[in-house]
Amino acid sequence: MSQEGIQKKGRQIPVGVIFYLKGGIFHSMSDKNSCCEHTASRNLLRSHFTALLPLLLAILSTAIVSPLQAERSPALTLNEVYLQVLRRSEQDEIRKEDLAVAQARYRQSLSSYYPEIFLFGRKSFYDKYDEDDNSQLETLLRQQQSQSSNTTGSTSTGSGFRTIDPYQAGVGFRWPIFSGFQTYYESQARDAEISSAALNRQRYRQLLYRDVGEVYFQILEYEKTTQILKEEQQALRARIGELARRVRIGRSSQGELLAAQSEYSNSRVELERVEGLRQVSTELLAFLMNAPAESIVLAEPGPLPGQRQLTAYLEKVEKRTDLRAAMKTLDAEKARLQSEKGGHYPEASVEGSYYMSQKPDFGRDWGITLSIEIPLFEGGNTYYAVREYEALVRKSKLELQALRRSASYEVRSAYTDYVNALSRLALMRQSVQISRSTYYVQMRDYRLGIVSNLEVLSALRNFHMARRELVRLEMLARINEIRLHVAAGMQAEIPAAPERESEDLEGLQGSEDSANAATPDGSQDSSEGVGKDSNGDEAANPSTRGPDSGEDP
């Protein structure tokens, strides 16, 4: 019985079962006239089908479960990937703690505005004195003893010695009322450090967004390149099949067939290389996201925005967060310089005590002391401290100047790369169209005997190489767009974790409110509070745009 006969009688039998039976049964059914063998084969067919039924059910269940698993792993946009990476970033948490440290130091500096209140207890222990050599002291002590009901010790008339062990206990306070404005300028420096820490954290998030975007688009590039290579191999397999048929009928040489097989092998090697790079990049993204690499599915990006003028980006450089952080650092150094200069001025403080218990009791329950100290000589300590912070101020100015120059260069360089990538991308689209037409023409001419097989293979190779280059330039343009936006310090397109941003704003608002604390002379501090970069108003984030409407080669 032939295979066609079994397919007619067993239309319900799966294809895999028929192929399996072809090797296991049909060879034993060569005698078409044997009715017994035909009946036995039908029984054997039924038994094999029964045995393979669980396997078929398992395959069917896998086919049903696979789409469900795909639904559980939705495609992630760049913003979604970035937020997952941000939530699991230890470096962002470290910068968050740096901000908390700066806020605590600022609050600590404000504590010098307020008086210190404390409980105290003092007891003195003295050596015995000789009343024969201290007749005047003995007379004074006798007078105090007659005025007070409590004595300070015991009198030993036999030995001629007397001991005095006075003590005091009560509540006291100490309040520095003037220190050369050192506390005022130190609090200003701490306030500037809070702003610098918050701005540095924002800059880290911008750089993190750039790094995540590079990995994101690299993975998309490798995925699309893998698909192009598979399509190239499919075309080469069709080419090899056609050449094998032509070799059998004598219309093509064996060398043409071997050349096509060699091209197919090279394509497979390239596919393995690209697949390895894709796996490495996916593992890197999985490490950053703290998620399994198998569960990461990336969404297709939207269309590229139009080209803008360079001045639109250069105007935003001064608002870049790292530049603003450097400015705040300079303000902190200037404030500390003024604080050190305050060491040349006198210091005034008030101390007071209320005695709840004391021996000997002089009849005074409280006392206040006003203290004024004028520095005359400290071995040059204050002088050289001022010299140190003058040098630190000059250093901060030079660092800010260098950062401004490098920021301008980064914007110009990133803009040049972005514009160049867009220009090359437009030209490469035309090249893909031309190479596609060239390949189809070469195929037609080869069948007409006008061109050789090598020319057809070369046209096929150039066509798919142009497609791969187009994919690479498209992803490079998107990466350069992100680099340009980050270089210009554009913050609007970078998503922020709402809970963390609220914490930053709350901390900065607290420092701004505390900056209005009273100065040592009773006035209010009116220092400026802390304020909390593609363009978000004109160009949307690439990862949040709609599907790509451009032509896909």
Side-chain angles (χ1 to χ4, degrees):
M1 186 175 183
S2 63
Q3 180 179 356
E4 291 79 3
I6 290 183
Q7 290 177 350
K8 290 180 181 179
K9 293 187 177 183
R11 298 180 187 274
Q12 303 292 333
I13 301 176
V15 177
V17 176
I18 293 176
F19 287 147
Y20 174 78
L21 296 175
K22 181 178 179 181
I25 297 176
F26 289 119
H27 292 293
S28 62
M29 295 167 50
S30 58
D31 189 1
K32 297 181 181 181
N33 298 322
S34 177
C35 181
C36 296
E37 292 181 359
H38 177 66
T39 303
S41 64
R42 291 183 62 184
N43 294 334
L44 186 59
L45 175 63
R46 187 180 296 109
S47 63
H48 278 278
F49 179 78
T50 304
L52 289 175
L53 183 59
L55 178 61
L56 295 176
L57 293 176
I59 295 174
L60 181 61
S61 62
T62 304
I64 296 176
V65 172
S66 297
L68 296 177
Q69 292 178 348
E71 292 178 359
R72 296 194 192 101
S73 300
L76 300 175
T77 62
L78 175 57
N79 286 351
E80 294 171 344
V81 171
Y82 165 74
L83 289 177
Q84 290 192 24
V85 173
L86 182 62
R87 283 193 294 267
R88 291 163 176 80
S89 174
E90 293 84 0
Q91 294 299 323
D92 185 67
E93 289 295 325
I94 291 174
R95 283 160 178 78
K96 177 183 176 182
E97 298 305 323
D98 289 340
L99 179 59
V101 169
Q103 292 173 345
R105 289 176 176 174
Y106 173 71
R107 298 290 183 180
Q108 183 180 359
S109 66
L110 293 180
S111 64
S112 300
Y113 287 120
Y114 305 101
E116 300 179 16
I117 302 176
F118 51 88
L119 295 174
F120 68 89
R122 306 186 188 100
K123 183 175 179 61
S124 302
F125 298 91
Y126 297 103
D127 189 13
K128 297 178 181 180
Y129 64 91
D130 188 353
E131 59 184 12
D132 296 335
D133 297 334
N134 297 275
S135 58
Q136 296 179 356
L137 179 60
E138 178 67 17
T139 302
L140 178 62
L141 289 176
R142 290 183 183 277
Q143 293 176 358
Q144 292 179 355
Q145 185 176 6
S146 63
Q147 295 175 0
S148 176
S149 61
N150 298 324
T151 60
T152 59
S154 60
T155 305
S156 176
T157 57
S159 59
F161 288 93
R162 185 186 180 96
T163 59
I164 302 176
D165 295 329
Y167 72 88
Q168 294 175 334
V171 181
F173 75 92
R174 185 182 302 110
W175 193 355
I177 59 177
F178 184 76
S179 59
F181 299 103
Q182 288 181 317
T183 302
Y184 171 72
Y185 287 114
E186 182 64 24
S187 63
Q188 278 195 334
R190 298 296 187 183
D191 188 33
E193 286 180 349
I194 294 178
S195 303
S196 179
L199 292 170
N200 282 328
R201 188 184 181 194
Q202 291 183 10
R203 184 58 182 173
Y204 166 76
R205 291 184 173 186
Q206 293 177 357
L207 298 177
L208 179 64
Y209 183 81
R210 181 194 64 186
D211 296 339
V212 172
E214 291 179 356
V215 179
Y216 182 91
F217 289 116
Q218 281 180 358
I219 295 175
L220 288 180
E221 176 189 347
Y222 294 144
E223 289 179 351
K224 292 187 176 183
T225 302
T226 300
Q227 182 63 29
I228 292 174
L229 288 172
K230 290 180 179 179
E231 294 176 2
E232 180 183 11
Q233 293 176 15
Q234 183 179 0
L236 286 172
R237 285 194 297 267
R239 184 66 186 160
I240 291 172
E242 180 182 358
L243 288 174
R245 181 180 60 81
R246 292 172 64 92
V247 169
R248 284 195 300 269
I249 63 178
R251 296 189 60 183
S252 297
S253 63
Q254 187 70 24
E256 293 178 346
L257 177 60
L258 293 175
Q261 292 175 347
S262 175
E263 193 73 21
Y264 177 73
S265 299
N266 293 336
S267 180
R268 292 181 61 187
V269 172
E270 182 66 14
L271 177 60
E272 290 298 324
R273 185 187 71 86
V274 175
E275 184 65 22
L277 293 175
R278 185 194 66 81
Q279 292 177 1
V280 171
S281 298
T282 305
E283 289 294 339
L284 174 59
L285 188 59
F287 166 74
L288 295 175
M289 296 174 59
N290 193 20
E294 297 78 10
S295 64
I296 297 178
V297 181
L298 303 183
E300 287 291 331
L304 285 167
Q307 178 180 338
R308 303 177 59 196
Q309 296 296 326
L310 176 60
T311 55
Y313 299 99
L314 291 176
E315 291 173 353
K316 300 181 179 296
V317 173
E318 282 297 323
K319 296 182 180 180
R320 217 170 80 167
T321 52
D322 56 343
L323 276 175
R324 292 162 58 192
M327 295 176 187
K328 291 297 182 181
T329 301
L330 177 59
D331 293 341
E333 298 298 343
K334 289 180 178 179
R336 285 200 171 89
L337 174 60
Q338 296 298 325
S339 176
E340 292 298 330
K341 288 182 178 180
H344 294 297
Y345 296 98
E347 296 182 1
S349 62
V350 176
E351 296 184 11
S353 301
Y354 178 79
Y355 305 105
M356 294 183 293
S357 176
Q358 58 177 333
K359 288 185 180 181
D361 189 356
F362 296 99
R364 295 176 177 178
D365 296 333
W366 59 271
I368 294 178
T369 302
L370 175 63
S371 175
I372 298 177
E373 298 181 2
I374 301 177
L376 297 179
F377 180 74
E378 296 180 354
N381 181 37
T382 303
Y383 173 77
Y384 288 109
V386 171
R387 294 285 299 273
E388 175 187 357
Y389 279 96
E390 287 177 347
L392 289 175
V393 168
R394 292 193 297 268
K395 176 185 176 182
S396 297
K397 288 181 179 179
L398 293 174
E399 290 176 347
L400 179 59
Q401 180 181 353
L403 188 57
R404 278 200 178 101
R405 293 179 57 196
S406 64
S408 178
Y409 166 75
E410 289 174 5
V411 171
R412 294 177 183 275
S413 177
Y415 182 80
T416 302
D417 292 339
Y418 178 57
V419 172
N420 181 262
L422 290 179
S423 302
R424 293 163 60 191
L425 182 62
L427 295 175
M428 186 52 63
R429 287 196 176 101
Q430 300 177 4
S431 178
V432 169
Q433 297 295 336
I434 295 174
S435 60
R436 177 189 286 111
S437 301
T438 302
Y439 170 64
Y440 292 146
V441 170
Q442 294 285 12
M443 286 287 294
R444 182 198 63 188
D445 292 345
Y446 178 78
R447 293 187 178 96
L448 296 177
I450 301 177
V451 297
S452 64
N453 178 61
L454 293 178
E455 292 174 311
V456 175
L457 293 178
S458 178
L460 177 62
R461 184 191 314 113
N462 292 335
F463 170 51
H464 289 288
M465 286 181 61
R467 292 182 62 192
R468 291 163 54 188
E469 183 66 14
L470 179 62
V471 169
R472 190 187 71 84
L473 288 177
E474 180 183 356
M475 298 306 164
L476 180 61
R478 298 182 184 278
I479 292 175
N480 287 338
E481 180 194 12
I482 295 178
R483 290 173 178 172
L484 176 59
H485 293 169
V486 174
M490 294 179 172
Q491 179 71 22
E493 293 191 2
I494 301 178
E499 65 279 3
R500 296 191 178 184
E501 289 299 326
S502 62
E503 291 175 2
D504 292 348
L505 291 175
E506 182 181 356
L508 292 178
Q509 183 65 30
S511 66
E512 182 178 356
D513 296 340
S514 300
N516 296 325
T519 57
D521 58 354
S523 62
Q524 296 292 325
D525 180 13
S526 59
S527 61
E528 180 181 0
V530 180
K532 263 288 204 233
D533 274 17
S534 82
N535 190 329
D537 297 333
E538 300 184 13
N541 193 300
S543 63
T544 59
R545 301 188 184 100
D548 191 355
S549 60
E551 183 179 1
D552 187 359

